[in-house]
Amino acid sequence: MPRLAYLGPQGTFTEEALRLLEPDAERLPCANVTAALAAARGGEADGAVVPLENSVEGAITTTLDEFAWGEPLLITAELLLPVRFSLLARPDTEIPHIKRVYTHPAAITQCRAFISRELPDAVVVAAPSTAAAAQEVSLPGSPYDAAIGARIAGEHYGLIELAGDIGDRSDTVTRFVRVGRPGPLPEPTGYDRTTLVVFLADDHPGALLEMLTEFAVRGVNLTRIESRPTGDGIGRYFFHFDFEGHVADARVGEAISGLHRICGDVRFLGSYPRADGVAPQIKRGTSDPEFAEAADWLARIRAGKA
């Protein structure tokens, strides 16, 4: 039974994701993403589950930065979790009587229409997390009448759901990843994703194009690219890449090797099954057999046997 750290406290969407990814795992709630990944790096946990990106809010920058710095970690699985916000309150609370609401800023952003329509006179206060908001509302004498969070938070803290699925968009999804210390990679499945962090060797015209070319000429399809500041001054960035395929695939291995040759540093963050099960479209000339045939052809030329 693995022990997995996660962004706590109990009742977060991250805990919900962990339960789906590893139903039998022992769960270790942590105060923030940094603490969860530190637990995985230091051996306090066997791994961690953290959010990586949201379909409305975009990338979780703390997670991106943690992956770029410190001891290496490997992503071994991902999960796409539909985000369903609920209005949670103590028993016997009615919506017209709610005057103060506590929730995370992301929930405020994603539930604006409901708040404006159903709680026009309520004061909405930002909380460290949706679960922390639910926990606070559950306490005797809390200054808050309700929280907005995951239904699981209500289960943990004895709150009732006054309204469900209150987000402005019904198709909001957060992508979570399971990470662990470096070790054997998941076997290729045919519908994999690979993640890298790439640092430029130097800033010059066309530097980003050079990196993208390593993918394009080998038919590797990018699914996400993010730039983040290095902290070394204005205009200095490193890059996160997600792309289709497994490092065991010839086209992917060649692309990563090409980046290693031209970049200052390349941090491999793992190859793992895609949660949506989408298989890549392999361009003519980029399949493993075609790479192998080309290598054999070149070997014959070099040996004078062409």
Side-chain angles (χ1 to χ4, degrees), residues 138-167:
S138 73
L139 298 176
S142 172
Y144 304 104
D145 303 308
I148 294 175
R151 181 181 298 175
I152 189 177
E155 297 171 5
H156 273 303
Y157 301 113
L159 303 178
I160 61 172
E161 184 184 62
L162 299 182
D165 201 7
I166 64 173

Side-chain angles (χ1 to χ4, degrees), residues 109-147:
T109 300
Q110 295 181 45
C111 300
R112 282 186 182 136
F114 176 86
I115 293 170
S116 176
R117 183 179 65 252
E118 303 294 337
L119 303 166
D121 299 322
V123 175
V124 183
V125 181
S129 71
T130 54
Q135 185 179 37
E136 169 62 34
V137 169
S138 73
L139 298 176
S142 172
Y144 304 104
D145 303 308

Side-chain angles (χ1 to χ4, degrees), residues 167-189:
D168 295 347
R169 298 188 56 142
S170 60
D171 57 351
T172 301
V173 173
T174 295
R175 177 180 167 214
F176 293 88
V177 292
R178 183 197 192 280
V179 301
R181 293 180 293 279
L185 302 179
E187 291 294 320
T189 63

Side-chain angles (χ1 to χ4, degrees), residues 15 35 44 87 94-95 120 132 138 153 170-171 173 241 252 266-267:
E15 183 190 4
E44 185 181 357
L87 182 68
E94 297 180 358
I95 290 180
S138 73
S170 60
D171 57 351
V173 173
F241 291 107
V252 172
V266 177
R267 174 169 284 199

